[in-house]
Amino acid sequence: MRAISYTRATDVHSAVEAVTSDPGSSFLAGGTTEIDLLRLDVLRPHRLVDINRLPLTGVEERADGGLLIGALARMSEVAEDRAVVERFPMLSQALLLGASAQLRHMASMGGNLMQRVRCAYYRDPESACNKRVPGSGCSALEGVHRGHAVLGTSEHCIATHPSDLAVALVALDAVVHVEGMEGARTIPVDDFFLLPGDTPEREHPLTPGELITAIEVPALPMARRSLYLKVRDRESYEFALASAAVALALEDGVVREVRLALGGVATKPWRARRAEDVLVGERADDAAFTRAATAELAPADTRPMNAFKAELARRTLVRALRTVATTGGGTA
C-alpha cells in the first residue's frame, strides 16, 4: 500500500496553487478514470486535490447561440440540457453514447477531456509503454493492436484516443478555457490534443498545475442538423472502433458547409479536413460522400489486426453523412 494524502480545494486559485507547488499532486474530479489507474499502479500521485466543490458547473447559454459549459458539469447533465440537445445534437449523442448512466452521473466534462488512453499495454505496468515510461518502447506495435489507431500514429505510440465527447467538440471548433498560476488562457480544442510524435507521454499543451475551467462551444446554426454515429463491437458501454461527428448545411442539394470529425481510429480526436475540402460545393450524394471519406482515410497506417479500421471508418463516415443529408440527424 502507498500513502496518498487528500486535500479539498475551495476555489480555483487554491486548487491551481496546490498542484503547481507540488508536482506529485493531481486534480481529482469524478475520478472515473483516475481511481482505476491508481489501483493499477499506473498513476502514482502522492496527493489528490479534490476540485468537486469549485463553482465550475452548469451550462450557460450565450446570446449568439453558443454555450459555455463548466468543466465540472457532469456528462449526464450536459447531455440532457435543452440548449445542448436543440443546438448541438451531436454533442448530446456523443455524451449519451460515451459511457453507462452511472459513469455519466459521476464523470465531469473536463475530466473526460483529460482521460488517459485505454490501451491495455498502458494499463499493464509490466508492459513496455512510451506513454507511461518514455523510451521504454511500445508493446502494441507487435502485440494485440486490433483496437488501435490508423491515423496520427508514430513509431512510439499507436494508442487510440478514447473520448467520444472530444470528437464532437473537435467538429464544433470548441475552445478549452484553462487557468494556471500565470492566469487564464484559451486553447482551441483541436490543439488541446497532441499527436504522439516523439513525445507520446505529452498528450496536452498544459503547463503543470493548469486546470480546465470551462469548454466553450461557439455558435454554429448548422449544428442543429448533426449526428454522432458510433460503431463498436457491442451496443452497450464499449469504446468506438470507428465513429463520426457530422454537421451539414445544404443548399439545393449541394453541400454549402460541413464539419466532420472521426473517433476510434486516431491517436487524437481527428478533424476530417480532407473530407471537408472534398465535399464543399459537391452534391450531397453517396458518390461525393465516398470520395470524401476515401480521401480522409488514404493516409491510414494499418497493421495486420487493425487493417479493417480504415474501411470501417470510411463506411461510418459515409453512413453518417447520408443520415444527416436525408433526415437531418438522429440517434446513433
Side-chain angles (χ1 to χ4, degrees):
M1 299 292 290
R2 289 183 294 106
I4 300 176
S5 62
Y6 172 87
T7 301
R8 179 174 287 163
T10 56
D11 58 75
V12 171
H13 178 77
S14 64
V16 168
E17 185 176 38
V19 174
T20 303
S21 63
D22 183 358
S25 296
S26 177
F27 294 119
L28 177 67
T32 57
T33 295
E34 189 164 13
I35 299 303
D36 287 345
L37 296 178
L38 284 168
R39 289 170 174 163
L40 292 169
D41 205 31
V42 172
L43 296 181
R44 307 191 67 172
H46 62 248
R47 178 170 65 159
L48 295 176
V49 179
D50 189 331
I51 58 173
N52 282 290
R53 292 191 177 183
L54 303 187
L56 302 176
T57 59
V59 178
E60 177 186 332
E61 298 182 39
R62 297 292 178 85
D64 63 359
L67 301 173
L68 187 69
I69 303 170
L72 290 177
R74 303 303 170 180
M75 289 172 58
S76 57
E77 297 169 354
V78 179
E80 296 166 2
D81 185 87
R82 177 193 55 79
V84 174
V85 173
E86 292 179 358
R87 300 178 187 181
F88 305 98
M90 71 155 71
L91 183 55
S92 176
Q93 293 158 10
L95 287 164
L96 292 172
L97 290 170
S100 68
Q102 293 91 334
L103 287 176
R104 293 198 303 271
H105 288 325
M106 285 295 297
S108 67
M109 294 290 285
N112 184 286
L113 299 190
M114 293 297 294
Q115 67 180 299
R116 306 306 297 269
V117 295
R118 290 312 199 274
C119 175
Y121 298 108
Y122 170 76
R123 289 173 168 248
D124 174 20
E126 302 303 316
S127 298
C129 173
N130 288 316
K131 279 188 178 295
R132 183 169 27 79
V133 183
S136 64
C138 176
S139 295
L141 292 173
E142 302 299 330
V144 178
H145 51 251
R146 178 177 179 272
H148 285 64
V150 299
L151 294 171
T153 60
S154 79
E155 62 181 328
H156 304 291
C157 183
I158 58 171
T160 307
H161 194 276
S163 174
D164 294 293
L165 165 64
V167 178
L169 292 176
V170 164
L172 294 168
D173 285 329
V175 175
V176 180
H177 292 242
V178 302
E179 187 163 336
M181 293 303 293
E182 301 300 318
R185 65 181 179 125
T186 58
I187 306 171
V189 72
D190 198 21
D191 296 332
F192 185 78
F193 301 101
L194 304 179
L195 292 171
D198 294 329
T199 55
E201 73 281 3
R202 189 164 185 258
E203 298 179 345
H204 308 285
L206 299 177
T207 59
E210 276 193 306
L211 174 67
I212 299 175
T213 57
I215 300 165
E216 181 179 355
V217 185
L220 185 67
M222 64 182 278
R224 292 177 180 266
R225 190 183 184 95
S226 67
L227 172 72
Y228 184 74
L229 176 64
K230 182 176 182 179
V231 178
R232 43 198 165 168
D233 281 325
R234 63 184 184 188
E235 182 64 21
S236 298
Y237 318 140
E238 182 65 276
F239 294 100
L241 288 173
S243 66
V246 173
L248 196 60
L250 303 178
E251 188 172 327
D252 297 326
V254 174
V255 178
R256 177 172 56 82
E257 190 177 359
V258 61
R259 298 287 181 83
L260 305 173
L262 296 173
V265 292
T267 54
K268 62 176 282 185
W270 193 261
R271 182 68 179 268
R273 299 187 189 277
R274 291 186 182 87
E276 290 177 351
D277 291 342
V278 169
L279 281 175
V280 173
E282 296 292 317
R283 292 207 63 79
D285 56 29
D286 273 14
F289 299 156
T290 300
R291 287 196 303 274
T294 300
E296 192 61 49
L297 274 299
D301 180 16
T302 62
R303 289 171 171 76
M305 294 182 190
N306 69 359
F308 74 96
K309 276 200 166 190
E311 177 62 15
L312 181 63
R314 187 186 70 79
R315 295 187 183 196
T316 301
L317 184 53
V318 170
R319 178 180 159 194
L321 282 161
R322 183 192 304 126
T323 301
V324 176
T326 56
T327 70
T331 58

